[in-house]
Amino acid sequence: MTALHPIGLSIRNAVKIYPGTRALKDVNFDIRMGAVNVLVGENGAGKSTLMKVIAGVETLTEGEIIVDGTPTQFRNKEDAVRAGIGIVFQELNLFPDLSVAENIFIGREPTRLGVQIDTRAQTERSREILVRLEQRIDPDMPLGALRLGQQQIVEIAKALAQDARILILDEPTSALSSVEVEVLFRVIAELRAQGVGIVYISHRLEELIRIGDYITVLRDGEMTGTRSMQGVDIPWIVEAMIGGDAKDFAAEITHQVGDEVFRAEGVTLAKTGGGYSVDHVSLRANAGEILGIYGLMGAGRTELMECIIGRHPEALGRYYVKGEELRHTSIADRIAHGIALVPEDRKVDGLIQMMAIRENLTLSSLKDFTRIFHLSLSREAKRAAEFISRLKIKVASAENPVSSLSGGNQQKVAIGKALMTRPIVLLLDEPSRGIDVGAKAEIYRVMRELSAQGIGIIFATSEIEEAMALSDRIIVMADGRITGTFGKTAGVADVVAAASPGTLTAKDTAA
């Protein structure tokens, strides 16, 4: 098998040191051409650091890069691009005010005579790439008008436009629907057949087994396993990742579900151009209950969460917390009445990347550390340290910028920020997006503990296994409407059927 897949790039004895942390410790990694090279590990294991080194974004402290047998140094991203390396980062690097086509060719615009940008050629080439990805996206529309999953498709299109011989995909499916994932897999198969070397990073272990040819596992910056994917199963991956068996993600804590703590009636959010993103939705949540909202991309789950927290003051509907109607639409008022939201897109909506981890954690609860006009930094720091420990956030220092953390640890900071407001109702939109198996276990554990303390939890997810495992009750949405309500004994087939757009006959098993 290895003879069919020659090594196109190697990393040897790689060491990367940041202030206060050693991200890579003597790592050796090979990228084989015409194959999918899977890289897996918990958040903070060093995967993204290793990929940034290969992409020319970071330089090694020690070690070397070898391309086609020749030692090479990537001083910047341009050096890596010239060597034929393209990358799709886990966190999107796009410009919302530019068009889709401008984002796809940013920094590499086709020109006439090397002077004037050839916008027609740029648009047509973008359209061809989007058709290849089976997307009906207008290349001339502003990128900011697209939903998150479509923006991730544009990020992939941006990498494909480079005609890279080595393509790095860092969590490429984290915001994609199941249909979009299948399209991506077809494109990967096409690229592999053309001899492109693909590095694929994902926390969805089933995906890795399905499409991978070779696997390398990192743990705490060190390699703990590398081999052909033949014969690899999920238990082997988990053992190599975390040094033990998978944890019980959804172990219940026995407790009584209390009275109603939240109710929404007739929530309606109109779309620009007609129709509804949220179509007259009503729901309730009880103290100590975990209410799951399951639906496919575009079902209206995120928009419903945003309406509840007050992000869309133009939306219609009534909201009640412990029987008291909320009269004001501001986000600050909703937080003051005990509602907190952990948004789907932590980078854009959940955190301020340039601010310290401590500052992000306490951002929504500064009044707890303030007397008149004085902010007690010592009290703030102590409280932040408590949540860093409680959520097991891997940090070198709470004063480091939150952008220095891995994606999973940033998600934990976003959750900690919400919990610091002492919510009565906690909203979680795709809480495990971009999270590894270990981090998922910790977040699920926190959710169970919070529900046992009497907090009403409403979480939205597009992963059916997550919805079935965690929810005390499941509401299914499609096309902005509720299409089914199910209890713990519901069958997966019934829940999935209710999520299909246009299906309005799902059996109600928990009225």
Side-chain angles (χ1 to χ4, degrees):
M1 189 174 181
T2 56
L4 297 175
H5 303 135
I7 296 173
L9 184 146
S10 293
I11 295 282
R12 285 292 172 264
N13 307 117
V15 174
K16 179 62 180 178
I17 300 174
Y18 295 106
T21 184
R22 195 179 182 94
L24 297 176
K25 307 169 186 175
D26 200 31
V27 170
N28 296 312
F29 179 63
D30 296 323
I31 298 176
R32 296 186 176 274
M33 307 304 289
V36 176
N37 305 267
V38 165
L39 183 63
V40 67
E42 291 191 88
N43 289 112
K47 306 183 303 297
S48 293
T49 300
L50 182 59
M51 293 306 99
K52 287 177 181 177
V53 167
I54 295 173
V57 177
E58 299 278 3
T59 56
L60 286 173
T61 306
E62 298 176 19
E64 64 178 347
I65 301 173
I66 302 170
V67 178
D68 295 329
T70 303
T72 307
Q73 184 177 8
F74 294 154
R75 293 162 297 181
N76 50 47
K77 189 177 178 182
E78 286 68 34
D79 286 349
V81 170
R82 280 192 289 271
I85 296 168
I87 184 168
V88 177
F89 290 104
Q90 177 181 354
E91 303 291 350
L92 302 183
N93 288 275
L94 300 170
F95 298 89
D97 294 329
L98 297 182
S99 72
V100 170
E102 287 169 332
N103 271 280
I104 290 174
F105 284 95
I106 190 79
R108 298 173 292 102
E109 295 84 356
T111 60
R112 297 188 186 96
L113 303 176
V115 177
Q116 185 180 23
I117 294 176
D118 189 342
T119 54
R120 177 177 294 180
Q122 181 173 267
T123 298
E124 288 307 311
R125 177 66 177 135
S126 297
R127 197 184 309 278
E128 290 171 8
I129 296 170
L130 292 169
V131 168
R132 183 181 181 186
L133 291 168
E134 300 179 30
Q135 294 295 310
R136 295 180 178 178
I137 298 174
D138 182 357
D140 292 323
M141 74 183 302
L143 181 115
L146 301 181
R147 58 179 174 78
L148 185 61
Q150 291 175 312
Q151 291 186 29
Q152 193 149 26
I153 289 287
V154 172
E155 186 75 81
I156 294 167
K158 182 177 162 185
L160 292 179
Q162 297 180 27
D163 293 322
R165 60 188 292 269
I166 292 175
L167 181 60
I168 301 167
L169 301 172
D170 191 355
E171 295 286 353
T173 64
S174 61
L176 301 186
S177 68
S178 57
V179 173
E180 291 164 338
V181 169
E182 292 303 319
V183 172
L184 176 62
F185 285 177
R186 287 197 289 273
V187 172
I188 288 174
E190 177 188 325
L191 293 171
R192 178 167 52 183
Q194 294 170 3
V196 175
I198 296 169
V199 180
Y200 192 92
I201 302 172
S202 178
H203 294 308
R204 298 178 178 179
L205 304 186
E206 296 82 2
E207 287 182 1
L208 305 182
I209 291 173
R210 177 180 170 185
I211 69 166
D213 296 304
Y214 302 91
I215 184 168
T216 298
V217 185
L218 287 177
R219 183 168 73 229
D220 295 328
E222 297 180 277
M223 285 178 55
T224 57
T226 182
R227 56 175 286 184
S228 162
M229 188 63 83
Q230 192 170 10
V232 168
D233 56 15
I234 290 178
W236 183 91
I237 297 175
V238 172
E239 172 70 29
M241 280 177 62
I242 63 178
D245 296 332
K247 301 166 187 172
D248 187 350
F249 286 5
E252 293 190 46
I253 301 173
T254 303
H255 66 281
Q256 291 293 322
V257 172
D259 297 330
E260 176 185 290
V261 291
F262 176 78
R263 183 168 81 256
E265 295 179 352
V267 181
T268 305
L269 178 65
K271 287 181 180 178
T272 303
Y276 297 103
S277 297
V278 182
D279 191 354
H280 299 85
V281 169
S282 299
L283 58 84
R284 61 174 173 79
N286 299 319
E289 179 183 38
I290 298 181
L291 174 64
I293 301 179
Y294 172 72
L296 305 177
M297 285 290 178
R301 297 172 288 110
T302 293
E303 292 80 1
L304 174 60
M305 293 286 200
E306 290 175 346
C307 288
I308 294 173
I309 198 62
R311 186 168 180 177
H312 299 288
E314 74 278 13
L316 303 177
R318 293 185 172 183
Y319 308 93
Y320 302 83
V321 174
K322 290 190 172 181
E324 178 187 352
E325 184 174 359
L326 306 184
R327 302 280 183 184
H328 302 285
T329 60
S330 73
I331 294 175
D333 186 73
R334 298 288 162 88
I335 293 174
H337 280 86
I339 302 176
L341 168 66
V342 179
E344 177 184 18
D345 192 338
R346 58 180 170 262
K347 182 177 180 181
V348 174
D349 301 320
L351 302 169
I352 300 176
Q353 296 290 313
M354 67 182 70
M355 290 178 64
I357 297 161
R358 166 185 56 80
E359 293 170 322
N360 272 279
L361 279 167
T362 62
L363 197 57
S364 296
S365 53
L366 285 175
K367 61 180 176 58
D368 292 345
F369 317 107
T370 305
R371 291 181 180 175
I372 310 177
F373 299 110
H374 176 67
L375 174 65
S376 173
L377 293 177
S378 61
R379 289 175 56 209
E380 180 194 24
K382 181 179 179 182
R383 186 70 170 153
E386 290 174 6
F387 274 81
I388 288 171
S389 175
R390 177 179 173 184
L391 295 175
K392 299 181 181 178
I393 305 171
K394 295 179 181 178
V395 303
S397 167
E399 301 308 311
N400 286 348
V402 75
S403 59
S404 67
L405 299 180
S406 64
N409 282 300
Q410 287 192 34
Q411 181 75 335
K412 292 185 199 177
V413 173
I415 291 173
K417 173 183 149 191
L419 294 180
M420 274 197 173
T421 66
R422 300 184 183 89
I424 298 169
V425 181
L426 179 61
L427 311 175
L428 298 158
D429 192 1
E430 294 283 9
S432 66
R433 176 177 171 256
I435 300 291
D436 64 66
V437 291
K440 278 185 181 181
E442 293 161 11
I443 288 170
Y444 294 165
R445 172 185 57 79
V446 169
M447 289 172 67
R448 287 293 186 196
E449 289 177 354
L450 293 171
S451 68
Q453 293 167 16
I455 293 177
I457 295 177
I458 304 174
F459 81 101
T461 181
S462 57
E463 294 189 19
I464 185 61
E465 296 86 358
E466 186 170 83
M468 300 299 293
L470 273 177
S471 305
D472 296 312
R473 197 159 43 92
I474 300 174
I475 286 174
V476 181
M477 290 187 68
D479 294 329
R481 292 167 287 176
I482 291 179
T483 55
T485 304
F486 300 87
K488 286 185 177 182
T489 59
V492 173
D494 289 335
V495 176
V496 171
S500 301
T503 301
L504 298 175
T505 57
K507 182 179 178 183
D508 188 338
T509 61

